[in-house]
Amino acid sequence: MPHPSSSRRHLLQAAALTTLAPLRTLVCAADPWPAQPIKLVVPFPAGGNTDLIARILVKTMADDLGQAIVIDNRSGAGGNIGVESVAKTAPDGYTLAYSTLSTYALNVGLYHKLAYDPVQDLAPVALTVQVPLVLVVPASSGIRTLTELLKQLKSQPGKFSYGSAGNGTSGHIACHRFVRMADVDVQHVPYKGSAPAMTDLMAGNVHFSIDAPSVVAPLIRAGRLNAIAVAVSGRIQALPQVPTFDEAGLPGLRAYTWNAVWAPAGTPQAILDRLNAAVNKALSTPANTRQIEAAGVVPYPAMNRSQVQEFMKKEYDAWVPLVRSMRMSLG
C-alpha cells in the first residue's frame, strides 16, 4: 500500500500539471509568427509575368521573415482555382496568394458566379507592381505598325485569331477591347499561360497577342516578335521605341494589370502588417528594383494596408462594371 505522503505528492503533481496545461496552450498560441515555411500560391503557370515578379520578391521576403517561402503554381480558370484555394485556407499567415487585377476584379465581371468573393474572403496585404501591356505580332508576319495589322485583319474577316494566357486574364480583356475598338472580326484562342501562347504566336498559329513586357520584351529583342503598341498613356522604359496606341492611331485604348499579395480573410492584423512591411521592403531593395524595372513593370511606392484597400476598392468599382458592359461572360 502506498505511503500517505507518497499519495499526497502524486496528487499535488497531478494538480500542478492540470494547472499548467492552459498555460502551455497560451504559450503555444503565442509562438512567434512565422514558425514554419510559408506557401505563396501563384495562380498562373511558371514562366509568366506574375510568376516572374513573385520569384524576384520571395527571397528578400524570406530573409526578412526568417522562413522559407515556397511558390506553388496552381493555375486554371483564369487564376480562380489558385485564389479560391487560398480563400478557403486557414487564416494563419502560412498560405498566401500572389495574384492580379484579374482574380480580384476582372473575373467578377466575367463569371456569373465565383467560388470565392475577392472582397469578403481575402485580406489585401500589399501591392507590388503595375504591368503595362503590349500588342505584339510574329516577326515572320512582316507587320510593324498598327495600320498594317488592321489592314490584314480587315482583309479577311473571321480568318485571323489572337492568343491569350487564358480566359479572363488581363491580356484576354485587352485583346477583346482592342478588337471592339478597331471593329475587326477575329477569333480568341485561350492558352494555359503566357508561355504556350507566345510559342504559338511565334509559330504563326495565332496572329497577335497582348501581354506583359516581361513576357514579350525578350522575344522582341531576340527578333521573334514585333511590338506594335503599348496600352498605356506614355512609352515604357523597357520598350522606349514602341509607340502608344494613341500615337499608333487607336487613341484611348488602356490596358494594364497589377500584382498584389493577399491572405485569407480573418488573418490576424499583426501578421498582415508584418507581411505588408516585408513586401514593401522587398520592393525597395535596389537589386530587386533593377530586376523589376528590367522586366518592364513599375514598382508601386510603399503603401500601408489602408492605402492598399482604398486602391483596390477604386479598381474594383472601375473594372467590374466595365467588364460586365463588354458582355463576354465565361460562365
Side-chain angles (χ1 to χ4, degrees):
M1 180 175 179
H3 192 277
S5 61
S6 174
S7 298
R8 282 196 299 272
R9 185 166 62 251
H10 290 155
L11 287 171
L12 289 171
Q13 288 172 341
L17 289 172
T18 302
T19 303
L20 287 172
L23 293 176
R24 253 192 222 106
T25 301
L26 287 173
V27 169
C28 291
D31 282 347
W33 177 93
Q36 65 188 57
I38 297 165
K39 180 167 68 176
L40 185 64
V41 174
V42 176
F44 303 104
N49 174 76
T50 308
D51 177 74
L52 171 67
I53 302 303
R55 291 178 189 278
I56 290 172
L57 297 175
V58 291
K59 186 180 186 306
T60 304
M61 290 175 61
D63 290 344
D64 185 28
L65 295 170
Q67 286 289 344
I69 300 178
V70 181
I71 290 182
D72 179 6
N73 294 98
R74 193 173 299 186
S75 59
N80 291 338
I81 291 174
V83 174
E84 178 191 347
S85 73
V86 175
K88 295 181 176 179
T89 299
D92 55 12
Y94 291 108
T95 303
L96 310 172
Y98 185 81
S99 195
T100 67
L101 170 64
S102 293
T103 56
Y104 184 73
L106 302 186
N107 288 357
V108 175
L110 283 167
Y111 293 85
H112 289 304
K113 186 176 180 181
L114 292 178
Y116 66 95
D117 183 324
V119 177
Q120 298 298 323
D121 297 341
L122 296 169
V125 171
L127 280 165
T128 59
V129 297
Q130 186 194 56
V131 186
L133 300 181
V134 186
L135 172 64
V136 290
V137 299
S140 59
S141 70
I143 292 172
R144 296 191 171 276
T145 68
L146 184 60
T147 300
E148 292 171 351
L149 176 60
L150 292 178
K151 182 179 179 181
Q152 180 195 60
L153 298 179
K154 291 181 178 182
S155 67
Q156 298 183 68
K159 175 184 176 181
F160 299 101
S161 59
Y162 67 87
S164 78
N167 284 320
T169 58
S170 54
H172 177 202
I173 301 294
C175 284
H176 187 81
R177 294 189 72 193
F178 166 64
V179 166
R180 290 186 64 179
M181 291 178 67
D183 191 24
V184 292
D185 178 10
V186 294
Q187 305 301 312
H188 174 220
V189 181
Y191 292 85
K192 293 182 178 180
S194 292
M198 290 301 113
T199 298
D200 257 17
L201 178 64
M202 290 184 290
N205 296 325
V206 290
H207 301 92
F208 67 91
S209 186
I210 297 180
D211 214 316
S214 58
V215 174
V216 301
L219 303 174
I220 294 166
R221 296 188 190 108
R224 305 292 301 279
L225 296 177
N226 291 341
I228 302 300
V230 294
V232 286
S233 59
R235 297 195 181 200
I236 61 174
Q237 181 178 337
L239 297 166
Q241 76 282 9
V242 181
T244 65
F245 272 96
D246 294 354
E247 294 170 325
L250 192 64
L253 180 59
R254 300 286 182 270
Y256 62 87
T257 186
W258 42 258
N259 294 180
V261 178
W262 283 272
T267 301
Q269 182 72 33
I271 293 177
L272 295 175
D273 289 341
R274 182 72 182 90
L275 284 165
N276 174 269
V279 175
N280 287 334
K281 181 177 180 180
L283 283 170
S284 65
T285 302
N288 290 348
T289 300
R290 286 193 295 271
Q291 289 187 71
I292 289 168
E293 290 178 344
V297 299
V298 183
Y300 279 109
M303 298 185 199
N304 60 38
R305 290 196 59 250
S306 294
Q307 292 170 317
V308 173
Q309 287 176 310
E310 182 180 356
F311 172 92
M312 288 189 176
K313 183 180 186 306
K314 289 179 179 177
E315 289 286 279
Y316 186 95
D317 291 345
W319 281 101
V320 172
L322 175 61
V323 173
R324 284 177 176 160
S325 74
M326 295 166 68
R327 294 183 175 84
M328 51 182 298
S329 173
L330 298 176

